[in-house]
Amino acid sequence: MKALDELTFDNRFARLGDAFSTHVLPEPLDDPRLVVASNAAMALLDLDPAIAETPVFAELFGGHKLWAEAEPRAMVYSGHQFGSYNPQLGDGRGLLLGEVYNRAGEHWDLHLKGAGQTPYSRMGDGRAVLRSSIREFLASEALHALGIPSSRALCVIGSSTPVWREKQERGAMVLRLAHSHIRFGHFEYFYYTKKPEQQAELAEHVLKLHFPECQEQPEPYLAMFREVVERNAELIAKWQAYGFCHGVMNTDNMSILGITFDFGPFAFLDDFDAHFVCNHSDHEGRYSFSNQVPIGQWNLSALAQALTPFISVDALKETLDLYLPLYQAHYLDLMRRRLGLTTAEDDDQQLVERLLQLMQNSSVDYTLFFRRLGDEPAALALARLRDDFVDMLGFDAWADAYKARVARDGEYSEEQRRARMHAVNPLYILRNYLAQNAITAAESGDYSEVRRLHEVLSKPFEEQPGMEQYAQRPPDWGKHLEISCSS
Ligand code: AMP
Ligand code: MG
């Protein structure tokens, strides 16, 4: 285990120089204190979890202290926001403190979000509030525990610093970890500002550090783009299979690594609703749950445009065309598993679609349906689940088709079926109302609920005695919480 002062830095992005980022020091928060830390994320840096409770930890991640080897930089990027190009974005309130490598030789970016103003803050105050910092922390660690690629979160540091949103709130910082903070928008920035040399440097940097296997390919940049397409198809398949709604899929929020990145008004579905829009500023539903699939492709084509200096348009188009079939294959594979199926049949897609339509019509809880389907032998589980459907006859017809499909799937014991299904169907997800309860307590100075919720969500597939209340459907007040875009 390492102490905090034993982290080893290797600031590769900072070395790209001032065309890519600007040196900025964090602006400290008043009275920094630990709200919550992730032991699993501490382990990624070889850090002893116990040191999260020490005052120096809160000082470091509350912006008061810095390692001598850290080189805090605000990165410049641009991007398409809600379909329109915004030529000037960048880290307006976050800083890349540096890149650390662990004993396993992995590099991790330390990114401090809420660290104060930068040259890219535009009209913003450079701050993040406690509420949104807790949401980002919980979501990144919960997604990871579900097996969904995501940036990680080391800790949230709270403070007494006043920050104005719709009302006065308190400032906080979240320390985010990722192998890279490079977004689609980084490539767009150098493309649209017509800086071919820096554009080439950026592409070379990403290829060498993050897609080294592509260097062996006859067309390394094309191979890299293909890998980005594949990773995004897989990522979005996982979002759709597990009911995760990102909310702000602007190209500046899309990681080049294909991980879930930049959390705003995200939500996990409670009731299944294909048309669900979690961001209440998204009036047209551009980023609705089901639109995430075509938007994934739209975003990749925005990236493709920025890569035209390196790759022929035909090759880019051909590669983009891989997205949808790859997405569909991953999605169907995940949904088969969620249904407990081990083989593939041509009609499985239809079986899934019919189920989702029934769930949609009856507002059935998306997570609990699958969990309960695996609790008992199929016939028993279906008989119990039937009560949740308004169209019972429609459900019966589906249930018959499902039972027949299960019978064709193969011979396995009920115990095997349950274990297999419970391993892919979570009992605990980050429901908005659970996050809200934790936030309300934290805002009054009680961090125990955030910590408990984080613990529960770190083992989403395991039944945890005494934690039954975290597996419930939302109460009425918690069903339609409007999550503000302000953060
Ligand atoms: P987001 O919606 O958080 O992805 O942010 C979009 C852009 O606005 C990024 O360039 C952010 O750095 C910037 N931004 C968001 N909130 C603030 C803030 N409070 N102060 C300064 N910049 C911000
Ligand atoms: Mg962003």
Side-chain angles (χ1 to χ4, degrees):
M1 290 290 178
K2 286 185 181 177
L4 275 169
D5 57 3
E6 292 171 327
L7 292 180
T8 329
F9 283 83
D10 176 15
N11 304 321
R12 303 171 303 179
F13 190 86
R15 287 201 291 274
L16 288 175
D18 291 343
F20 296 85
S21 63
T22 309
H23 174 79
V24 182
L25 288 174
E27 256 177 75
L29 291 171
D30 302 327
D31 313 312
R33 67 210 63 166
L34 179 73
V35 174
V36 60
S38 162
N39 289 353
M42 296 283 281
L44 299 174
L45 305 182
D46 307 318
L47 288 173
D48 175 0
I51 60 181
E53 302 288 347
T54 61
V56 67
F57 188 88
E59 284 166 12
L60 266 172
F61 299 117
H64 285 260
K65 284 194 169 175
L66 213 52
W67 298 263
E69 309 87 336
E71 288 183 69
R73 313 282 300 190
M75 300 167 118
V76 63
Y77 52 82
S78 62
H80 280 83
Q81 299 186 308
F82 290 90
S84 312
Y85 185 64
N86 187 333
Q88 176 72 68
L89 292 161
D91 289 333
R93 56 164 164 178
L95 296 174
L96 177 60
L97 295 181
E99 293 171 65
V100 162
Y101 63 94
N102 64 16
R103 294 218 170 97
E106 295 167 340
H107 278 73
W108 287 99
D109 281 3
L110 302 188
H111 178 99
L112 194 58
K113 189 164 175 180
Q117 286 177 316
T118 77
Y120 314 110
S121 297
R122 298 173 292 160
M123 307 299 279
D125 58 6
R127 290 303 189 194
V129 293
L130 182 62
R131 160 177 61 82
S132 65
S133 305
I134 288 176
R135 281 171 53 83
E136 169 144 2
F137 175 90
L138 290 172
S140 7
E141 293 302 284
L143 282 166
H144 172 74
L146 286 170
I148 302 179
S150 174
S151 59
R152 304 292 303 276
L154 188 75
C155 63
V156 175
I157 303 298
S159 78
S160 61
T161 303
V163 173
W164 284 93
R165 293 296 179 257
E166 284 89 356
K167 57 182 174 99
Q168 187 185 293
E169 300 189 41
R170 300 290 167 188
M173 293 186 191
V174 58
L175 194 284
R176 180 162 69 193
L177 299 174
H179 294 310
S180 168
H181 275 68
I182 297 175
R183 308 149 191 258
F184 289 10
H186 277 84
F187 287 90
E188 294 180 278
Y189 175 76
F190 292 105
Y191 173 74
Y192 288 105
T193 53
K194 301 197 168 54
K195 293 182 178 153
E197 279 160 33
Q198 280 95 351
Q199 167 88 336
E201 242 184 296
L202 177 73
E204 184 65 19
H205 176 90
V206 173
L207 178 72
K208 247 173 67 191
L209 302 190
H210 304 296
F211 297 89
E213 64 293 345
C214 297
Q215 287 177 296
E216 319 301 324
Q217 299 294 317
E219 285 194 66
Y221 289 130
L222 177 58
M224 179 167 88
F225 180 61
R226 187 186 163 120
E227 180 72 23
V228 177
V229 169
E230 285 175 6
R231 289 190 195 185
N232 271 274
E234 188 167 353
L235 175 70
I236 293 172
K238 289 185 173 169
W239 288 358
Q240 301 309 112
Y242 284 97
F244 179 76
C245 208
H246 181 284
V248 200
M249 287 176 70
N250 294 335
T251 57
D252 54 305
N253 292 338
M254 302 303 292
S255 157
I256 197 69
L257 302 183
I259 60 175
T260 315
F261 196 71
D262 254 21
F263 296 86
F266 70 84
F268 279 88
L269 296 181
D270 289 305
D271 298 346
F272 181 79
D273 179 6
H275 314 301
F276 181 68
V277 180
C278 59
N279 178 357
H280 80 248
S281 319
D282 180 6
H283 304 294
E284 284 162 18
R286 178 180 172 87
Y287 300 137
S288 73
F289 180 64
S290 58
N291 275 356
Q292 297 191 122
V293 181
I295 287 292
Q297 186 162 21
W298 195 96
N299 288 342
L300 286 162
S301 54
L303 174 64
Q305 181 66 44
L307 293 177
T308 48
F310 309 113
I311 308 168
S312 78
V313 170
D314 285 346
L316 285 166
K317 279 192 177 151
E318 224 172 85
T319 310
L320 273 174
D321 285 343
L322 299 173
Y323 169 83
L324 215 49
L326 280 171
Y327 162 80
Q328 273 158 347
H330 280 300
Y331 176 72
L332 199 52
D333 179 53
L334 290 163
M335 295 308 284
R336 282 193 184 106
R337 289 169 197 251
R338 297 206 72 180
L339 287 169
L341 302 172
T342 59
T343 58
E345 284 188 11
D346 288 346
D347 290 343
D348 290 344
Q349 170 93 23
Q350 214 200 342
L351 192 71
V352 170
E353 280 169 11
R354 277 171 66 198
L355 172 63
L356 295 183
Q357 189 60 56
L358 287 159
M359 290 173 98
Q360 168 98 31
N361 295 348
S362 298
S363 304
V364 172
D365 190 88
Y366 187 56
T367 300
L368 291 179
F369 178 87
F370 288 99
R371 183 71 182 192
R372 293 192 177 140
L373 189 62
D375 275 345
E376 304 176 285
L380 277 180
L382 290 164
R384 224 183 283 273
L385 286 163
R386 180 178 193 263
D387 291 343
D388 293 340
F389 290 81
V390 180
D391 176 7
M392 287 188 170
L393 293 180
F395 181 71
D396 290 343
W398 182 84
D400 287 343
Y402 174 67
K403 276 184 280 189
R405 176 68 182 83
V406 169
R408 289 195 303 277
D409 194 55
E411 294 270 327
Y412 30 77
S413 70
E414 260 325 296
E415 199 38 60
Q416 287 171 322
R417 176 175 181 272
R418 184 186 305 119
R420 195 173 62 232
M421 289 184 74
H422 282 187
V424 294
N425 292 320
L427 182 56
Y428 310 103
I429 55 155
L430 180 57
R431 297 175 186 273
N432 263 337
Y433 86 95
L434 294 174
Q436 193 51 50
N437 283 340
I439 287 165
T440 305
E443 285 177 337
S444 66
D446 173 4
Y447 304 140
S448 59
E449 187 57 24
V450 182
R451 295 180 183 192
R452 195 173 317 119
L453 181 56
H454 163 60
E455 275 297 311
V456 170
L457 296 173
S458 68
K459 287 170 278 176
F461 301 106
E462 259 175 57
E463 206 151 317
Q464 300 169 46
M467 298 299 161
E468 292 75 16
Q469 76 267 30
Y470 294 96
Q472 303 295 318
R473 297 185 70 174
D476 277 343
W477 68 262
K479 273 196 171 168
H480 302 289
L481 289 173
E482 291 206 331
I483 301 303
S484 157
C485 209
S486 78
S487 55

